[in-house]
Structure formats: structure tokens, C-alpha cells
């Protein structure tokens, strides 16, 4: 009997067929284990403790939540504005442990235990902050959208001047910076005003700095 006639497959063909069968049987298992295209992944949550305007706050947040969204969407402190959402306009500026921070580029989970001050924490209608009073006096705003960020940034800028922190406009980086319009414009350059009230803003900050 001719065994090759009964089994026309060569050894090579048999190995290829076996390998193909094994691969085919593995595909359903791999497909079942892989997530479906476009399937949403559950967000990672984290507990965040902040002191906001003097009040301790406990939040449970998606770890991707910006400080800006934590303030506006979770704490309802809408004085801090969302402008460009790219850190370019300064409308979302707040003070974190006394330092200026562009809150749209900072994740809330980056500041555990931090003290955050927003425009709501600087003053009240009955007892406004000196800079708020000066902005009104010198007409340092028009539409007002950028004003909360301008005022928070100005508070931080004046603190930097008092501490002797130099800026790009400082002639001598080891000497105490001199208060001037040029110095203030440089320090406030990260805060844009679409209405163009820059001169009045500098006048308002200068008055408070010289008081």
C-alpha cells in the first residue's frame, strides 16, 4: 500500500496547518481579554485636602481635575475665571501658599494641604481688599472678566517686590527691586486684558504699593 497516496500532506504542510489551528483557537481568548475599542476607563479618584479662603475643604476628585475646575465646579467659587485654559491669559490666577499660580495648568492633587486664596477670599463688598478699592478708583477694568486674576496676580507681585524677588525688568538682580511702572508691567505681563486697561491697572497697583 502506498502510504503517501493515503496521506498526501507533507510534513511541512502538517506543521503549518497545526500552527494555524493553534493561532485561531487563541484569537477568541485574546479578543475577550482586550477592552473594546473606545471603551471608557473608570477615572482614578483621590482625596484632596485644601484650605480655601481660610476654610478647610475635603474633596474627592478625579486625579485629572485642575485646581481651576476644583474651585469652580466642585466648590462653586466662580470668581476665578476660565479664559484660555492653556495658561496664557492669567484669568485663572489664584494664590497657593501666597504664591501666584495659573490654576488651569495645575492639578488639584498637586497641592495637598495647601492654602488657596481666590478673589472671594481677598475681600468683601463691605471690606474690600486695598487693591480692589484701587482698581475701582483707577478704573482698572472694563468688562471685568480678567479682573479677579489681575487682582490676585497683583497681590502676588507686590509680595514678590517686598521679598526682593527680581524680575526680567530688574536692573540688578541682587539688589532690592525698585517700584516702577516698567517693573509692574513686567511682573503683570502674564495677565492679559482684552479691554486694554493696562495703564489704569498699573496706576492702581502703584497706589497700593506706595501706601
Amino acid at each position: 500500500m502506498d502510504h503517501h497516496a493515503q496521506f498526501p500532506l507533507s510534513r511541512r504542510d502538517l506543521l503549518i496547518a497545526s500552527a494555524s489551528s493553534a493561532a485561531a483557537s487563541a484569537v477568541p481568548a485574546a479578543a475577550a481579554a482586550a477592552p473594546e475599542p473606545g471603551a471608557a476607563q473608570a477615572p482614578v479618584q483621590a482625596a484632596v485636602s485644601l484650605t480655601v479662603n481660610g476654610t478647610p475643604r475635603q474633596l474627592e476628585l478625579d486625579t485629572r481635575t485642575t485646581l481651576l475646575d476644583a474651585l469652580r465646579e466642585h466648590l462653586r467659587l466662580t470668581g476665578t475665571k476660565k479664559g484660555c485654559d492653556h495658561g496664557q491669559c492669567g484669568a485663572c490666577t489664584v494664590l497657593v501658599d501666597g504664591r501666584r499660580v495659573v490654576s488651569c495648568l495645575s492639578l488639584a492633587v498637586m497641592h495637598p494641604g495647601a492654602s488657596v486664596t481666590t478673589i472671594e477670599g481677598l475681600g468683601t463688598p463691605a471690606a474690600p481688599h486695598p487693591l480692589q478699592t484701587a482698581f475701582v478708583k483707577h478704573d482698572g477694568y472694563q468688562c471685568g472678566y480678567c479682573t479677579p486674576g489681575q487682582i490676585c496676580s497683583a497681590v502676588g507681585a507686590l509680595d514678590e517686590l517686598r521679598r526682593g524677588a527680581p524680575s526680567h525688568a530688574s536692573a540688578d538682580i541682587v539688589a532690592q527691586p525698585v517700584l516702577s511702572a516698567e517693573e509692574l508691567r513686567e511682573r503683570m505681563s502674564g495677565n492679559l486684558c482684552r479691554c486694554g486697561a493696562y495703564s489704569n491697572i498699573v496706576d492702581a497697583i502703584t497706589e497700593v504699593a506706595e501706601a
Side-chain angles (χ1 to χ4, degrees):
M1 179 181 291
D2 188 348
H3 294 285
H4 293 290
Q6 281 187 303
F7 303 103
L9 285 177
S10 68
R11 181 175 179 178
R12 178 182 178 83
D13 292 335
L14 183 60
L15 290 173
I16 292 173
S18 300
S20 299
S21 299
S25 64
V27 167
E36 293 184 13
Q41 300 294 313
V44 178
Q45 299 288 119
V48 180
S49 299
L50 299 169
T51 299
V52 182
N53 299 329
T55 302
R57 307 301 293 261
Q58 303 291 327
L59 299 170
E60 189 74 20
L61 300 173
D62 183 328
T63 54
R64 300 167 295 182
T65 303
T66 63
L67 180 58
L68 173 61
D69 285 340
L71 294 171
R72 287 182 58 84
E73 308 301 331
H74 294 266
L75 297 179
R76 303 301 178 190
L77 294 171
T78 55
T80 304
K81 303 304 182 187
K82 179 175 283 194
C84 66
D85 212 23
H86 286 78
Q88 298 175 349
C89 73
C92 66
T93 305
V94 298
L95 300 169
V96 177
D97 293 330
R99 305 272 180 121
R100 297 184 282 177
V101 168
V102 181
S103 61
C104 74
L105 292 186
S106 187
L107 298 176
V109 294
M110 295 167 60
H111 305 285
S115 176
V116 180
T117 303
T118 69
I119 191 66
E120 292 91 343
L122 287 178
T124 65
H129 187 279
L131 276 166
Q132 292 173 313
T133 301
F135 265 66
V136 173
K137 176 182 175 180
H138 290 277
D139 203 18
Y141 60 92
Q142 289 185 38
C143 76
Y145 194 83
C146 73
T147 307
Q150 296 277 1
I151 291 176
C152 285
S153 188
V155 170
L158 291 182
D159 181 63
E160 291 166 9
L161 274 169
R162 295 187 191 101
R163 290 189 287 106
S167 75
H168 286 292
S170 303
D172 186 345
I173 63 171
V174 297
Q176 179 68 28
V178 177
L179 176 67
S180 65
E182 181 183 19
E183 187 75 46
L184 290 177
R185 288 192 184 97
E186 169 59 31
R187 291 177 186 270
M188 294 295 294
S189 61
N191 291 80
L192 305 184
C193 174
R194 296 179 183 179
C195 302
Y198 296 110
S199 295
N200 296 350
I201 289 171
V202 170
D203 290 342
I205 300 171
T206 300
E207 178 178 292
V208 174
E210 293 177 341

